[in-house]
Amino acid sequence: MELKNLILEQEQQHVETTVKAACAEISVMLSFHDEDQKNLCDPEDDLVNVHCLAAECRDIVLLLQVCSREMKFEGIVKSLVVANYFNSEKDALNFGLNSCTDDKNSQTLLIHQLQAEVQGALPRFTLSGEDPYSDEVNDLVSADFPFGSKDGVAKVILLKTSGITHCEFSVSSASSDGSFSGPASFSLRLSPFVFWVNLPLVNTLLNLSVEVVKYVEMNTKRNESQSVVITEKHKSSNGYVKRSTSCPTTLSSTERLRGNILIPNARLILCFPFESGKDSRDYSSYDQFIVLDFSSPLASNKGVIEDRSPTSDATIQKKQFSMVTSSLHLNVGDLYIYLVLSASEGVIRNNSCDMLNQKFSAQNILSITNKTGCLSVISMLWQDGHVTGPLIAKRAKFLATLGSCDVSLDSNAYEFASASAVKDLEDLNSRIQQEMIVSSIFFLHVCLSPVTISLGSSQYNGLHNLLNQMINGLACVDSDASDVAKSREGPSVSQTSLLVECDSVEIIISLDAKENIGGPMRSELPGSWYCLRLKIQKFELLSVSNIGGIRDANFFWLAHGEGELWGSITGVPGQEFLLISCSNSTMKRGDGGGSNALSSRLAGSDIVYLWEPESLHGFTSITVRCGTIVATGGRLDWLDKISSFFSLPSPEAEQEGDNSMQKGDLNASCGSSFVLNLVDIGLSYEPYLKRLVVGSEVLDSKCCSSSAKEKECMGEQYVACLLAASSFNLSTSTVVNSIDNDSKIRVQDLE
């Protein structure tokens, strides 16, 4: 340990103190055995119930610098390993692991082989070969642990880093007395790591944290009650109580804590199946995985954390959250998500010996990449105090009902709206959304690089199943945490918001190609749709919970700009057909001479949903602007393909459906309002001629892009038609405890 103290000799004023410490190794162990059982350090312990989580840190360097106005702390860790230890002999009997080999460490070897097979199905991800502890980390059990010399103790590596993990923390002095109570900030740059996420173990740790929070709050309340008694006695004896100035109660307008975390290269592997109450030591049952691969485009930027966002609205957190008190920013580069399933899916494994021959296949289902080198940023911001109210809920209802037949810019309908009125309405929409964010006590802001999603039917069903397992498995933790939050908040609740922004999103779904014979339209364009590709620009999603401080009142808003949907069919391989177009070029449709130009914004769509728990009423509004549905060859059956792709029938759902039928008054007890507003919309029929395809080579796309060009190419007359309207509005509503509904339809400037 080194200690340096720099003092200015003339004035004897303290300038700087530096303390540097180094440690070869630190080990921390968390045991899951009961308190009434023997201690693990007891050499006579038979280790029947060994189960613990241990972390080993190597080559640690700590540096502390204290100046007159600032204190800095810096930490470096060269190696970090987190492992799960448990008694393999006892658990082998429970999980059927002792039938493969008589080796006492057979379970550890089988689990290591399972991990190797999963990693082998994924793109190569290797940690640094310069890690001096690489071989030692893979040992069965560390010899210096309390039970390291015991036989039959398995070690499963959950987290392993390679390289230097660097952390910096600084705090300023905000007072003249020299105390460091000013704004603080920290930055953490993680080294490359592989993390196997054992969800049952995570569930156990979360339950433990909830219990710790309950215990701390209980003791805090007890101490506060004792403090009140002492204060009352002091007040009666002295006649007054001196007000403390060390703990301000007013809302601070400055940020007190800011953190930045950079993940350059990492791999997270979520293990499934996962059920509530599942034993965290049952590694033999894992045969499904969700893998997240992070890779940084700024890997060569040593130690630099840049807060850059791919969207122009990334400064929303700085402009709107002026009262933020704490913030945490997670910076990641490219992200790839894989779904790893057993290659022998559907084969029942009789025992864990089948793990020896277990093979896996990986499918890339999501990619977030940016060639410009910008990082995706996930920001979490907190502010103190209760800053929301019923007015926010009323304004959210205005957005959810905007566009209905009963709501317009003025009493004379859209065509008489002025340009300033429309601009004011757009500004009002944006301002209401900003107010929702500003009035939230917690704000999660996600700025992503361009996103690509690729899913087949089996991948979608599998992903949906695994996510449901994770949500249901962690439900008990959520309920316990909710109880703690309710006891802390009292009658009022905190409003939270989530905003996701992305420059572009591309979704590719692979359909089950089934050839169905019949229908005159299919004779014109034969085949079955086997692939659909959707690409949209300026994707935004806003979700607000407990809006207006009303418990369970939720608001959801999704929007995007221009976009296109393309489809591929088996009858014409190698060619894509435009199915839906959303473009700014189709504004001013209809025979009104452009009368709707002032009432229409740029191309895109908005989906808004609001749930009012007090009135048991749900409001849904869908607005599509400048959209064209193209029926190539008269085929619109791709709509059924999309519907069937996202339909997930299950025995549980069917049982719930039967139960819901028995509860016939359930829907009648809730009210709903639905608004569909189509602006500058069109439906186009474009004939498809087989003669346009010559020897599997398609003519110039320019010739096939319009009917006029096709006539020139083929010299043959045929009919195409377009049905367009400047506005189409459909609204329906039902009231509570009534089966009656009110529907209205309005069409304007039909052509």
Side-chain angles (χ1 to χ4, degrees):
M1 178 180 291
E2 299 180 3
L3 175 62
K4 296 181 180 180
N5 195 3
L6 179 61
I7 299 179
L8 192 63
E9 295 182 356
Q10 183 177 0
E11 300 179 357
Q12 294 296 315
Q13 182 181 359
H14 174 266
V15 177
E16 179 179 321
T17 298
T18 302
V19 179
K20 185 177 182 180
C23 182
E25 179 180 351
I26 295 179
S27 299
V28 180
M29 183 178 66
L30 176 63
S31 176
F32 297 104
H33 78 297
D34 295 334
E35 296 179 357
D36 58 348
Q37 296 178 358
K38 294 182 179 181
N39 193 287
L40 291 175
C41 298
D42 188 351
E44 298 181 358
D45 188 12
D46 58 0
L47 299 177
V48 172
N49 295 300
V50 170
H51 186 204
C52 71
L53 189 67
E56 305 173 52
C57 303
R58 306 286 182 91
D59 291 345
I60 305 167
V61 179
L62 305 177
L63 178 64
L64 177 64
Q65 291 180 328
V66 181
C67 304
S68 58
R69 288 294 181 182
E70 186 180 26
M71 179 175 64
K72 291 184 178 180
F73 172 82
E74 183 177 356
I76 296 176
V77 179
K78 289 188 178 180
S79 177
L80 171 63
V81 176
V82 177
N84 187 16
Y85 292 85
F86 54 90
N87 180 15
S88 61
E89 290 182 348
K90 173 180 179 294
D91 297 324
L93 297 176
N94 294 336
F95 305 130
L97 292 166
N98 60 337
S99 57
C100 300
T101 175
D102 294 333
D103 188 352
K104 293 181 179 180
N105 297 312
S106 61
Q107 184 175 4
T108 302
L109 297 175
L110 286 173
I111 296 173
H112 284 180
Q113 181 168 349
L114 172 66
Q115 293 178 331
E117 291 293 340
V118 174
Q119 293 266 40
L122 295 165
R124 186 173 179 82
F125 183 90
T126 57
L127 299 178
S128 175
E130 301 177 358
D131 187 358
Y133 306 109
S134 179
D135 295 334
E136 184 178 347
V137 164
N138 290 322
D139 289 343
L140 297 181
V141 180
S142 299
D144 53 351
F145 262 75
F147 45 85
S149 60
K150 300 288 184 179
D151 292 331
V153 176
K155 173 184 178 180
V156 180
I157 299 173
L158 300 180
L159 173 63
K160 177 183 177 183
T161 67
S162 176
I164 295 177
T165 299
H166 187 265
C167 177
E168 291 183 354
F169 177 82
S170 64
V171 59
S172 304
S173 175
S175 58
S176 58
D177 59 359
S179 61
F180 295 99
S181 58
S185 64
F186 75 89
S187 63
L188 176 63
R189 181 182 177 89
L190 300 174
S191 60
F193 66 88
V194 175
F195 184 19
W196 292 81
V197 183
N198 185 331
L199 292 173
L201 189 58
V202 172
N203 202 0
T204 302
L205 295 175
L206 291 177
N207 285 323
L208 178 61
S209 65
V210 172
E211 293 299 325
V212 171
V213 171
K214 289 181 180 179
Y215 177 79
V216 171
E217 291 187 348
M218 181 180 63
N219 287 343
T220 302
K221 291 181 180 179
R222 183 184 305 168
N223 295 335
E224 289 178 353
S225 62
Q226 294 176 356
S227 176
V228 170
V229 174
I230 296 175
T231 302
E232 291 296 330
K233 292 181 179 179
H234 181 72
K235 180 178 180 180
S236 60
S237 60
N238 295 280
Y240 70 97
V241 177
K242 184 177 180 179
R243 187 176 300 275
S244 173
T245 58
S246 59
C247 299
T249 57
T250 58
L251 178 65
S252 173
S253 60
T254 59
E255 189 174 5
R256 297 195 296 263
L257 177 64
R258 178 182 178 87
N260 282 282
I261 300 177
L262 175 62
I263 302 180
N265 295 281
R267 170 169 286 178
L268 275 69
I269 304 175
L270 306 178
C271 305
F272 295 91
F274 171 47
E275 298 176 356
S276 179
K278 176 182 173 64
D279 196 305
S280 60
R281 295 164 291 183
D282 186 11
Y283 289 90
S284 63
S285 64
Y286 293 139
D287 59 356
Q288 298 171 308
F289 306 87
I290 296 178
V291 182
L292 288 76
D293 272 4
F294 297 91
S295 60
S296 174
L298 302 179
S300 59
N301 229 350
K302 298 182 180 179
V304 178
I305 297 178
E306 300 185 18
D307 186 7
R308 298 190 294 173
S309 170
T311 57
S312 58
D313 295 332
T315 55
I316 184 174
Q317 51 201 8
K318 296 181 180 179
K319 293 182 179 180
Q320 299 180 1
F321 249 64
S322 58
M323 304 298 289
V324 63
T325 56
S326 303
S327 65
L328 177 62
H329 308 272
L330 180 64
N331 303 265
V332 298
D334 297 340
L335 171 63
Y336 300 91
I337 298 181
Y338 298 91
L339 182 63
V340 181
L341 302 175
S342 173
S344 57
E345 188 176 359
V347 178
I348 300 176
R349 292 186 297 171
N350 296 323
N351 53 57
S352 62
C353 297
D354 295 334
M355 294 171 60
L356 292 171
N357 301 318
Q358 185 82 341
K359 301 298 180 181
F360 296 92
S361 61
Q363 174 73 33
N364 180 218
I365 60 175
L366 185 144
S367 302
I368 301 178
T369 57
N370 195 327
K371 297 180 180 180
T372 62
C374 291
L375 291 174
S376 297
V377 182
I378 302 175
S379 300
M380 291 169 280
L381 299 97
W382 293 265
Q383 61 180 347
D384 295 335
H386 191 73
V387 293
T388 189
L391 180 60
I392 299 297
K394 292 182 179 179
R395 296 189 174 183
K397 185 176 180 179
F398 170 79
L399 290 182
T401 57
L402 185 64
S404 65
C405 294
D406 298 328
V407 179
S408 59
L409 294 177
D410 57 22
S411 58
N412 296 324
Y414 289 153
E415 63 267 23
F416 300 105
S418 64
S420 60
V422 175
K423 185 178 184 302
D424 291 342
L425 180 60
E426 295 181 8
D427 294 341
L428 179 61
N429 293 343
S430 177
R431 187 163 61 251
I432 292 176
Q433 295 168 10
Q434 293 177 7
E435 290 176 353
M436 293 180 188
I437 296 174
V438 175
S439 60
S440 300
I441 197 171
F442 172 75
F443 174 43
L444 177 60
H445 189 196
V446 181
C447 294
L448 299 177
S449 301
V451 176
T452 301
I453 300 174
S454 179
L455 286 173
S457 179
S458 59
Q459 287 83 23
Y460 175 73
N461 294 337
L463 181 63
H464 182 271
N465 181 35
L466 297 184
L467 294 179
N468 273 344
Q469 289 183 31
M470 187 165 59
I471 294 173
N472 296 332
L474 299 175
C476 58
V477 179
D478 295 337
S479 60
D480 293 340
S482 178
D483 294 338
V484 174
K486 289 180 181 179
S487 62
R488 185 188 304 115
E489 294 172 347
S492 62
V493 293
S494 299
Q495 176 180 309
T496 60
S497 58
L498 163 67
L499 176 63
V500 180
E501 295 179 299
C502 184
D503 286 341
S504 66
V505 176
E506 184 175 10
I507 303 176
I508 303 173
I509 60 175
S510 299
L511 306 172
D512 295 332
K514 297 180 180 180
E515 298 292 344
N516 295 322
I517 303 175
M521 295 301 181
R522 299 200 177 190
S523 61
E524 181 177 344
L525 181 59
S528 176
W529 302 103
Y530 68 91
C531 183
L532 298 176
R533 181 172 62 90
L534 171 68
K535 188 167 185 179
I536 55 178
Q537 307 293 329
K538 296 182 179 179
F539 174 84
E540 293 180 315
L541 183 150
L542 175 63
S543 177
V544 185
S545 301
N546 300 326
I547 189 167
I550 304 172
R551 191 180 301 277
D552 298 328
N554 300 319
F555 175 84
F556 176 84
W557 172 72
L558 185 147
H560 66 82
E562 290 185 294
E564 293 178 337
L565 175 65
W566 295 81
S568 301
I569 198 167
T570 57
V572 188
Q575 183 179 357
E576 286 187 324
F577 295 92
L578 181 62
L579 306 179
I580 298 180
S581 173
C582 193
S583 174
N584 294 327
S585 61
T586 58
M587 294 178 63
K588 302 182 182 180
R589 272 180 169 163
D591 62 357
S595 62
N596 58 315
L598 296 179
S599 64
S600 176
R601 292 151 52 195
L602 296 178
S605 64
D606 296 87
I607 301 175
V608 183
Y609 175 77
L610 173 67
W611 170 252
E612 285 186 342
E614 296 177 342
S615 61
L616 297 177
H617 200 99
F619 300 89
T620 304
S621 175
I622 300 177
T623 301
V624 180
R625 301 176 301 275
C626 307
T628 303
I629 300 177
V630 182
T632 303
R635 297 285 296 270
L636 289 175
D637 54 330
W638 48 267
L639 292 170
D640 294 333
K641 286 282 188 178
I642 296 176
S643 177
S644 61
F645 180 87
F646 291 103
S647 299
L648 293 169
S650 62
E652 293 79 3
E654 293 177 0
Q655 292 178 2
E656 292 179 0
D658 296 338
N659 295 334
S660 63
M661 293 298 294
Q662 297 175 3
K663 301 176 182 179
D665 59 340
L666 180 61
N667 294 331
S669 62
C670 300
S672 63
S673 298
F674 174 78
V675 176
L676 176 62
N677 189 28
L678 307 179
V679 181
D680 291 335
I681 195 69
L683 174 62
S684 172
Y685 164 66
E686 296 184 1
Y688 175 79
L689 301 180
K690 296 181 181 180
R691 290 180 294 276
L692 291 176
V693 182
V694 181
S696 74
E697 292 184 1
V698 183
L699 296 178
D700 192 311
S701 59
K702 295 182 179 180
C703 293
C704 304
S705 59
S706 65
S707 58
K709 291 291 183 181
E710 288 180 354
K711 292 176 183 178
E712 295 178 4
C713 294
M714 300 303 302
E716 184 174 341
Q717 299 291 331
Y718 61 93
V719 178
C721 61
L722 172 68
L723 179 64
S726 64
S727 177
F728 175 86
N729 187 283
L730 169 66
S731 62
T732 63
S733 62
T734 60
V735 297
V736 178
N737 297 323
S738 175
I739 60 175
D740 297 332
N741 60 74
D742 183 18
S743 301
K744 296 181 180 179
I745 299 177
R746 183 182 62 192
V747 180
Q748 180 180 343
D749 294 341
L750 181 65
E751 180 181 9

